[in-house]
Amino acid sequence: MTVERTLEGKVAVITGGGRGLGKAVAAALIERGAKVVIGNTTVAQGTATVDEFNAAAGCKVAAFKQTDITTYKDNIALFQFAEKEFGGVDIAYLNAGVAGNATDIIFLPPDDENDARAMNVNAVGTMKGTKIAMLHLAKRGGGVIINCSSTLGSNAVPSMSAYVASKHAMNGWTRCFSMLPQICNVRVNAVCPHFVETDMLVPNPDQLSRGGPVLNLVDKIPKTTTENVVNAVLLLIEDETRNAQTLMALPGDVIREQEPAPPAPETITPEFVELMGNYAQDYVTFHKKELEDYLKVYEKQYGNKE
């Protein structure tokens, strides 16, 4: 079946795109006419994936840059590289994340680096990527950012405490951008896969030696498919009405929005409703000017460095 080239001329940046969900999304975007820039920590993996895409296409449709998403330096360099390679950025799929030893820390000895790893990569790394992506998309005239969260961004599983906390943070971060399109025509959404068969679910030697009930849970819990996750990402890209949404990709090829908890009724007074109406207009006006000023500073400090 021929796929319609709905993304012809678009450029996407994908973090963690060397394998798994990131690679699958990259392939789907290329199939629809987009160019992709992959940021990955592992050079051999990222290079091999880009070479594979370019060889299959018979032309340059992908490029790679080694990227540590926990640093602004690397996030900035990645988006500047994308502009140099393909002229700009329209889509950002911020897929990079960690699980493994960073998932369950409560009964492990105190370890500053490991205990902060899930939050630093999954949450703070995504926040940094969103900030830099927003600036580059705004320069382009608009676009869409998709953060890769999880159904655990609103639920909880014992023995996955740090991972769950990081995904709750990602969902809260994503839901705060309901008014961003009015400021710079940039939409921010999150895809929230249920457990899906990727390398992230394969226990590493340390996890296997530690054992525990979570290994049995991960092995037997119902899974969604990579294809379903890709379809959810494409929906968030192509449906321009979707903004500040957290969209679940569930077993049985189900895609459904993960609704945030409603505000407590005690907080919704007539005075509050009127206040929020005024706040919304003030927010857009204030941040339009703030973005205009910040883009000038950003371009002066970081522009044309790649």
Side-chain angles (χ1 to χ4, degrees):
M1 185 178 68
T2 302
V3 174
E4 187 178 353
R5 293 177 70 84
T6 54
L7 301 176
E8 193 74 54
K10 301 294 186 182
V11 179
V13 167
I14 300 176
T15 62
R19 62 176 184 172
L21 294 178
K23 182 178 179 180
V25 168
L29 298 187
I30 291 170
E31 190 177 26
R32 285 158 179 78
K35 303 290 196 304
V36 301
V37 173
I38 288 174
N40 213 66
T41 54
T42 307
V43 173
Q45 189 180 80
T47 301
T49 295
V50 163
D51 289 346
E52 177 186 331
F53 287 149
N54 289 336
C59 60
K60 187 172 184 178
V61 295
F64 166 74
K65 188 167 185 63
Q66 186 178 26
T67 306
D68 174 2
I69 68 163
T70 66
T71 71
Y72 274 121
K73 174 178 69 69
D74 277 19
N75 277 290
I76 291 167
L78 176 63
F79 281 88
Q80 289 178 336
F81 175 73
E83 288 187 345
K84 179 183 177 183
E85 290 293 304
F86 297 122
V89 183
D90 307 281
I91 301 162
Y93 176 46
L94 305 181
N95 169 76
V98 295
N101 292 339
T103 296
D104 180 19
I105 63 172
I106 192 68
F107 297 111
L108 293 178
D111 182 323
D112 286 327
E113 183 175 347
N114 186 67
D115 291 359
R117 188 163 178 249
M119 196 63 71
N120 284 342
V121 177
N122 297 347
V124 179
T126 300
M127 292 165 69
K128 290 179 178 180
T130 304
K131 283 184 63 173
I132 302 307
M134 182 272 296
L135 294 172
H136 285 264
L137 269 59
K139 286 197 299 177
R140 183 83 151 172
V144 60
I145 300 166
I146 301 98
N147 300 321
C148 189
S149 183
S150 167
T151 54
L152 296 180
S154 290
N155 302 312
V157 172
S159 297
M160 299 186 72
S161 51
Y163 182 84
V164 167
S166 71
K167 297 302 184 178
H168 271 65
M170 287 179 67
N171 280 10
W173 170 257
T174 299
R175 288 167 177 157
C176 284
F177 297 112
S178 60
M179 290 186 282
L180 193 61
Q182 299 172 59
I183 297 169
C184 58
N185 197 32
V186 174
R187 297 180 291 116
V188 181
N189 292 295
V191 62
C192 301
H194 190 61
F195 288 76
V196 57
E197 292 286 5
T198 67
D199 293 347
M200 191 173 282
L201 278 188
V202 178
N204 63 37
D206 287 343
Q207 289 174 290
L208 290 171
S209 65
R210 184 183 180 193
V214 72
L215 296 181
N216 188 53
L217 173 72
V218 168
D219 183 54
K220 295 183 178 179
I221 199 167
K223 311 292 196 304
T224 190
T225 63
T226 295
E227 182 181 10
N228 196 41
V229 179
V230 171
N231 287 338
V233 173
L234 290 171
L235 183 59
L236 291 171
I237 292 172
E238 295 180 336
D239 184 350
E240 296 184 358
T241 68
R242 294 182 181 272
N243 180 55
Q245 287 192 356
T246 48
L247 199 65
M248 296 184 291
L250 299 167
D253 292 333
V254 173
I255 296 173
R256 186 171 70 244
E257 188 176 354
Q258 190 176 60
E259 297 286 352
E266 293 83 357
T267 68
I268 308 301
T269 64
E271 293 79 12
F272 176 77
V273 172
E274 181 180 359
L275 176 67
M276 288 305 293
N278 294 332
Y279 171 81
Q281 183 56 53
D282 291 344
Y283 177 93
V284 170
T285 301
F286 177 81
H287 287 297
K288 273 187 175 180
K289 180 63 168 63
E290 196 170 52
L291 174 61
E292 180 183 347
D293 293 342
Y294 182 44
L295 274 170
K296 293 175 183 176
V297 173
Y298 181 80
E299 284 296 291
K300 183 176 180 179
Q301 186 168 359
Y302 299 109
N304 302 314
K305 297 292 179 67
E306 182 52 57

